[in-house]
Amino acid sequence: MDWTALIEKALEGMQHAYAPYSGFRVGAALLAKSGKIYTGCNVESCAYTPTCCAERTALVKAVSEGEREFSGLAVVSSGGADGEYTSPCGVCRQMLFEFCPPKMPVVLAKSKQHYRVVSLGELLPLGFGPAQLGKEGPSCE
Ligand code: THU
């Protein structure tokens, strides 16, 4: 699979990052099963804890537009320690698990050429999903 287009969208999303406190800019692009791509960026707060990560921004944008099923996510950032790939935080992993199947690819990208693909299930093994409350959800797949 060629993830270049999704990474490009994540880079576009990062352009809107509001990160005056950390200076760490993040972009995300979430591919819905409809074929539409929803971008996101981190939006920080001076109170710090209300900060919304790029991944949740993209997810909430998509769900609020009626999307419920997803097939891929790309994440980029303005730079990590020692060139590490930026990977979704625990809160984002949990929110993604609500709507995305464990097998969904998550593309951790430094650039369009340098990326690593993992699955959501690898990021959140034995995750707590809607199925555990007897609800239909992607973790049933
Ligand atoms: N951040 C994200 O947007 N996504 C991640 O995957 C990791 C962290 C943001 C939150 C905060 O604005 C900044 O990066 C530093 O933690």
Side-chain angles (χ1 to χ4, degrees):
M1 175 99 189
D2 179 13
W3 294 109
T4 314
L6 202 59
I7 295 169
E8 210 159 283
K9 285 286 180 190
L11 288 163
E12 274 175 40
M14 188 170 72
Q15 288 175 11
H16 301 293
Y18 176 75
Y21 306 105
S22 72
F24 191 86
R25 302 162 67 80
V26 186
L30 184 60
L31 174 62
K33 284 208 177 144
S34 66
K36 275 185 78 172
I37 294 174
Y38 294 83
T39 60
C41 63
N42 52 336
V43 182
E44 296 187 343
S45 160
C46 61
Y48 291 13
T49 47
T51 291
C52 192
C53 293
E55 298 89 327
R56 270 177 293 138
T57 303
L59 180 66
V60 170
K61 278 172 71 178
V63 172
S64 68
E65 297 283 324
E67 304 285 359
R68 290 292 185 273
E69 293 186 279
F70 301 97
S71 40
L73 170 73
V75 184
V76 298
S77 79
S78 57
D82 297 327
E84 286 292 314
Y85 291 98
T86 294
S87 182
C89 80
V91 173
C92 289
R93 291 175 198 207
Q94 184 64 49
M95 275 299 285
L96 290 164
F97 206 73
E98 186 78 26
F99 295 99
C100 311
K103 63 171 191 253
M104 187 184 84
V106 178
V107 183
L108 312 175
K110 290 182 198 173
S111 68
K112 278 190 275 179
Q113 292 78 31
H114 298 98
Y115 60 86
R116 178 180 167 191
V117 185
V118 296
S119 71
L120 180 59
E122 286 176 277
L123 294 176
L124 191 64
L126 299 174
F128 183 78
Q132 272 154 302
L133 295 179
K135 303 291 180 195
E136 288 280 325
S139 51
C140 300
E141 278 185 18

